[in-house]
Amino acid sequence: MSGKDYEMVAGLETHVELKTATKIFCGCSTDFGAEPNTQCCPVCTGMPGSLPVLNRQVVHYAIKAGLAVNCRIASYSKEDRKNYFYPDLPKAYQISQYDLPLCENGYLDIETGEGRKRIGITRIHIEEDAGKLIHQEGKGTLIDYNRCGVPLIEIVSEPDFRSVEEIKAYLRKLRATILYTGVSDCKMNEGSLRVDVNLSVRKKGEETLGTRTEMKNLNSFQFIAKAVEYEFRRQVEALEAGEEIIQETRRFDQASGKTFSMRRKEDANDYRYFPDPDLTPIFVSDEFLEEIKGKQPEFRTEKMKRYKEEFDIPEYDIEIITGSKHMADIFEATVALGAQPKKVSNWLMGETLRLLKEKELDAEDIRFSPEHLAALIALTDARAISSTVAKEVFEKVFKEDIDPEAYVKEKGLLTVNDEGALRETVAKAVSYT
């Protein structure tokens, strides 16, 4: 038999760091990039006698995310201790949620070449992040505890994925949705969004699930796709060779493009969950829930509909621009400053996307202000600069967010429309010949 006779069954656990100023159970900063072990205290390093206090903003943000993916919000939930030992968890347990999570039974609808599909979301629970291990070959392992206690939500999907395309479509939409809520920056390169993939294979037409493996801490769409494709092939080849698939945790090696066994995969009962005795249950009142619902942002679907009604731009432009809340915010703010919607769209769809692709950035990395984009458009509308000069100036705006008016004056790039001055310049040039 060949791989075409098998299908994958995959579910995702997506870990999203919340954009709170302080950690989930203490007052330590969550700023990224600080010197190692400078943002930790007795609570997040698990010192004896220290007591955690839940950050209210974490619950607020988790509910916002849950509502955005159509979850039911529990009026009563609790936090549990998940017991296992890793050196980057100094308490030797993680505070998470087990049987009573904050959000349950949600979904996201995705679009692929195969059409529309609904992906079920089993639950979203809050938990604390672990620290970071820095392995130094031949020298041992260092530990940075700054990340310990940074608040996470874990978004657990149903095993509804049957292809890499579905996984990528889901993650792109999930990331865009979370960015719209504002609860996380979802920077995969900084670990703000990480994905664990649970994958098994079975022969097409079968209903019984195969033995799953888990690939941990994947932090780019490219690596997720490569890891899934390799693991699917590996399991098919193993089954065809009569080998047993072992339930285990595997790591993806970026250099080789292969997955390698790390440890046997635990089941829930292996973690010996029990309610954390130091934390009270979480009660979400109807009033608090309605307050959050009332402050939910305009999401992409509603924004796309409004753009079609308000702005005379192509549907393709609308689809790209609204794919990023940051880009959509820039578009709307620039239009509000008086620029024509189509001209704003042209700059975003043209030069902006070109430079983003060239520099391997995404829309969330745009740093120029709406004011400077509007000023550049005004200069071109007034024919104060040529289209060629406008593109040159825009590169500076894109890179450094410079004031285009000041820049063109400083560099002498303004187009001269004074006929008398032009005649004088021509006369001088001719006199030298």
Side-chain angles (χ1 to χ4, degrees):
M1 301 181 75
S2 69
K4 294 181 180 179
D5 299 310
Y6 291 83
E7 70 173 358
M8 73 170 64
V9 179
L12 305 183
E13 299 169 8
T14 307
H15 299 81
V16 179
E17 285 188 354
L18 299 178
K19 197 168 58 176
T20 55
T22 57
K23 295 183 180 181
I24 187 169
F25 299 120
C26 66
C28 291
S29 171
T30 58
D31 286 346
F32 179 81
E35 287 295 312
N37 298 311
T38 59
Q39 295 180 171
C40 46
C41 70
V43 174
C44 52
T45 55
M47 295 294 104
S50 61
L51 292 174
V53 177
L54 178 60
N55 184 337
R56 177 185 174 91
Q57 191 67 44
V58 171
V59 177
H60 186 165
Y61 279 177
I63 292 173
K64 287 190 73 172
L67 292 172
V69 294
N70 308 292
C71 282
R72 180 188 68 81
I73 309 302
S75 59
Y76 173 90
S77 64
K78 63 181 175 66
E79 290 157 285
D80 302 278
R81 291 187 181 182
K82 182 180 181 181
N83 296 274
Y84 60 102
F85 174 75
Y86 291 117
D88 51 0
L89 276 170
K91 298 192 296 285
Y93 63 84
Q94 179 189 40
I95 301 177
S96 182
Q97 292 189 296
Y98 177 44
D99 55 331
L100 295 175
L102 187 60
C103 314
E104 291 183 291
N105 303 323
Y107 64 86
L108 269 185
D109 292 327
I110 63 170
E111 296 277 354
T112 67
E114 299 297 317
R116 188 181 181 89
K117 183 174 181 178
R118 177 161 292 183
I119 304 297
I121 292 175
T122 311
R123 58 189 281 153
I124 299 177
H125 59 261
I126 60 174
E127 62 185 22
E128 60 183 340
D129 208 345
K132 182 179 180 180
L133 299 178
I134 299 101
H135 302 290
Q136 297 185 330
E137 190 172 351
K139 297 182 180 179
T141 298
L142 304 177
I143 307 175
D144 179 5
Y145 286 124
N146 281 351
R147 202 170 64 186
C148 260
V150 170
L152 294 175
I153 51 174
E154 182 174 338
I155 305 169
V156 183
S157 82
E158 292 289 318
D160 288 342
F161 301 99
R162 299 294 179 268
S163 69
V164 171
E165 289 71 27
E166 290 179 357
I167 290 173
K168 290 193 293 187
Y170 168 83
L171 288 174
R172 287 195 180 100
K173 184 164 185 179
L174 180 63
R175 182 174 183 268
T177 301
I178 296 298
L179 285 169
Y180 263 88
T181 66
V183 306
S184 174
D185 59 26
C186 292
K187 292 181 178 177
M188 299 182 81
N189 61 318
E190 294 182 3
S192 297
L193 191 151
R194 310 190 296 274
V195 180
D196 299 343
V197 179
N198 292 282
L199 187 147
S200 65
V201 302
R202 65 186 178 190
K203 291 179 181 178
K204 290 181 178 178
E206 290 186 352
E207 295 296 326
T208 305
L209 294 174
T211 301
R212 66 186 171 92
T213 61
E214 181 181 35
M215 292 171 284
K216 298 284 288 185
N217 291 328
L218 301 167
N219 65 349
S220 86
F221 292 141
Q222 179 185 10
F223 295 148
I224 291 166
K226 288 183 176 180
V228 169
E229 289 168 349
Y230 175 81
E231 183 62 14
F232 174 70
R233 291 195 306 271
R234 186 192 73 82
Q235 290 192 26
V236 169
E237 290 170 3
L239 291 174
E240 285 294 286
E243 300 173 8
E244 179 185 2
I245 303 298
I246 298 171
Q247 182 173 314
E248 61 184 350
T249 297
R250 301 178 68 85
R251 69 175 179 86
F252 175 70
D253 180 70
Q254 299 172 11
S256 66
K258 298 179 180 181
T259 64
F260 296 92
S261 178
M262 293 174 62
R263 58 183 179 271
R264 290 293 181 99
K265 172 65 180 169
E266 300 89 347
D267 288 315
N269 56 354
D270 294 320
Y271 292 122
R272 306 189 317 280
Y273 282 101
F274 64 87
D276 193 297
D278 295 329
L279 292 162
T280 60
I282 300 170
F283 295 94
V284 178
S285 67
D286 292 341
E287 293 77 15
F288 184 54
L289 184 57
E290 288 304 313
E291 178 186 340
I292 297 174
K293 286 181 178 179
K295 294 179 180 178
Q296 286 291 82
E298 177 188 45
F299 287 103
R300 189 185 183 196
T301 302
E302 294 80 19
K303 195 178 287 290
M304 290 178 71
K305 181 179 179 182
R306 179 168 63 82
Y307 278 24
K308 289 177 184 178
E309 296 171 353
E310 289 187 18
F311 307 120
D312 185 22
I313 59 175
E315 288 193 14
Y316 180 73
D317 292 24
I318 292 173
E319 184 178 342
I320 298 299
I321 291 170
T322 59
S324 160
K325 183 178 184 297
H326 184 49
M327 185 179 283
D329 287 345
I330 291 171
F331 171 80
E332 292 189 39
T334 308
V335 171
L337 290 167
Q340 292 183 15
K342 181 56 179 150
K343 291 180 178 179
V344 180
S345 174
N346 287 344
W347 279 102
L348 294 176
M349 297 293 294
E351 289 302 294
T352 302
L353 290 184
R354 180 184 68 80
L355 290 168
L356 287 173
K357 183 177 180 180
E358 179 183 298
K359 300 179 184 306
E360 298 183 344
L361 302 172
D362 64 28
E364 305 309 315
D365 297 310
I366 295 173
R367 291 293 172 262
F368 59 79
S369 68
E371 290 79 10
H372 289 161
L373 178 56
L376 179 62
I377 293 172
L379 287 170
T380 59
D381 285 348
R383 298 186 179 180
I385 55 176
S386 67
S387 60
T388 301
V389 170
K391 290 181 180 180
E392 175 191 330
V393 174
F394 181 75
E395 288 213 24
K396 293 290 291 183
V397 172
F398 182 90
K399 293 176 183 177
E400 304 172 27
D401 194 26
I402 53 98
D403 180 344
E405 293 182 358
Y407 181 80
V408 297
K409 289 177 182 177
E410 177 189 343
K411 300 297 181 181
L413 298 173
L414 286 169
T415 300
V416 178
N417 292 317
D418 186 332
E419 186 175 338
L422 288 172
R423 286 181 180 277
E424 182 180 341
T425 301
V426 170
K428 287 180 180 179
V430 170
S431 67
Y432 285 113
T433 62

